[in-house]
């Protein structure tokens, strides 16, 4: 049986997982879910109810990074795994932790009426965008001259940030980050994982 991936097209966590699986050439059954009406078959194997979830026989991977690493352990044709682990970990912790919180505050200001939009943007700049710009001015990818899983894991979140207010993003002085982002958005790999799928229904 092929592995089953429960996914949601626009979810940045699911995007990173889909990209790693595609890159590793893993054939799978894609089950697109409706976040407001999750299939019982998914909740049965992963009651926490987030996507992505990958089921490989009895193995259930319910964290996007675990799915990425599982895929790259199978095949890693371009050496995405050759990274300095502590630097990789520091980027990922920052992205999935405080940056994701700020991104939600930036994306849904109505949910955070106590916060000032300029202060949220400035915190995003300080925490993530300025360090990224500085890394990407030194080298084309976050960890050096070669693309790694860290670029792939982080780029969907920067894409999401850029899409919240494209005019505001355009005005930010982030030429290297914008170039990096465009390269990922225009990549064949990204296009290949953004096809639309009908919503999966258990029946
Ligand atoms: N730590 C999880 C986070 C996944 C996550 O939060 N996914 C969101 C969609 S982007 C989700 O499924 N949320 C559940 C919901 O909206 O009900 C991972 O890395 O896979």
């Amino acid at each position: 049986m092929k592995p089953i991936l429960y996914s949601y097209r626009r979810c940045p966590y699911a995007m990173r997982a889909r990209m790693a699986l595609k890159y590793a050439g893993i054939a799978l059954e894609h089950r697109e879910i409706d976040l407001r009406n999750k299939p019982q078959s998914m909740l049965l194997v992963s009651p926490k109810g987030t996507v992505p979830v990958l089921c490989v026989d009895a193995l259930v991977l319910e964290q996007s990074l675990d799915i990425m690493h599982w895929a790259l352990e199978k095949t890693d044709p371009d050496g995405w795994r050759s990274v300095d682990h502590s630097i990789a970990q520091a980027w990922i912790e920052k992205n999935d932790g405080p940056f994701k919180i700020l991104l939600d505050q930036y994306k849904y200001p109505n949910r955070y009426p106590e916060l000032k939009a300029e202060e949220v943007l400035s915190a995003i700049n300080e925490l993530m965008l300025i360090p990224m710009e500085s890394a990407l001015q030194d080298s084309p990818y976050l960890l050096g001259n070669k693309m790694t899983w860290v670029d792939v894991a982080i780029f969907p979140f920067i894409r999401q940030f850029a899409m919240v207010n494209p005019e505001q993003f355009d005005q930010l002085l982030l030429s290297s980050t914008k170039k990096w982002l465009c390269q990922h958005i225009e990549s064949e790999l990204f296009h290949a994982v953004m096809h639309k799928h009908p919503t999966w229904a258990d029946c």
Side-chain angles (χ1 to χ4, degrees), residues 8 11-13 16 35 38 48-52 62-65 96:
Y8 181 68
C11 166
Y13 299 98
R16 59 159 66 143
L35 283 174
K38 296 168 188 160
K48 74 178 172 49
T50 65
V51 282
E62 46 183 0
Q63 291 295 336
S64 54
L65 294 174
D96 288 22

Side-chain angles (χ1 to χ4, degrees), residues 20-202:
L21 289 162
K22 184 83 188 171
Y23 161 77
I26 312 271
L28 48 84
E29 177 182 339
H30 183 113
R31 295 187 178 177
E32 183 71 16
I33 72 152
D34 175 354
L35 283 174
R36 285 156 308 174
N37 184 18
K38 296 168 188 160
Q40 278 308 312
S41 58
M42 177 181 114
L43 295 173
L44 212 61
V45 291
S46 179
K48 74 178 172 49
T50 65
V51 282
V53 174
L54 185 74
C55 307
V56 189
D57 301 319
L59 175 71
V60 177
L61 298 173
E62 46 183 0
Q63 291 295 336
S64 54
L65 294 174
D66 291 342
I67 298 174
M68 288 188 87
H69 294 308
W70 178 86
L72 299 184
E73 272 161 30
K74 299 259 165 230
T75 334
D76 182 10
D78 300 333
W80 284 11
R81 283 194 309 167
S82 331
V83 293
D84 175 315
H85 292 284
S86 55
I87 301 179
Q89 196 57 25
W91 276 114
I92 295 297
E93 275 173 15
K94 190 151 75 160
N95 183 78
D96 288 22
F99 176 60
K100 177 66 169 88
I101 293 171
L102 288 166
L103 180 56
D104 285 346
Q105 293 171 350
Y106 182 68
K107 200 171 164 201
Y108 307 110
N110 298 344
R111 293 185 196 165
Y112 305 93
E114 72 286 7
L115 299 178
K116 291 202 175 71
E118 326 79 72
E119 287 177 12
V120 172
L121 180 58
S122 143
I124 287 178
N125 256 310
E126 290 296 318
L127 177 86
M128 197 72 184
L129 301 179
I130 294 173
M132 278 190 76
E133 181 63 15
S134 151
L136 293 168
Q137 274 172 3
D138 289 346
S139 61
Y141 298 101
L142 287 172
L143 274 72
N145 287 324
K146 271 172 58 31
M147 180 154 121
T148 70
W149 66 270
V150 178
D151 297 282
V152 176
I154 291 183
F155 123 82
F157 295 84
I158 304 299
R159 172 181 175 270
Q160 193 172 76
F161 168 74
M163 286 170 67
V164 175
N165 186 339
E167 293 79 26
Q168 191 166 57
F169 184 71
D170 277 351
Q171 283 163 19
L172 299 173
L173 299 173
L174 297 171
S175 60
S176 302
T177 305
K178 288 175 188 172
K179 194 170 153 211
W180 171 89
L181 180 62
C182 270
Q183 186 200 331
H184 287 287
I185 291 176
E186 288 168 5
S187 70
E188 254 178 58
L189 180 62
F190 183 58
H191 282 278
V193 301
M194 291 305 283
H195 293 306
K196 292 194 172 155
H197 293 263
T199 305
W200 167 261
D202 295 327

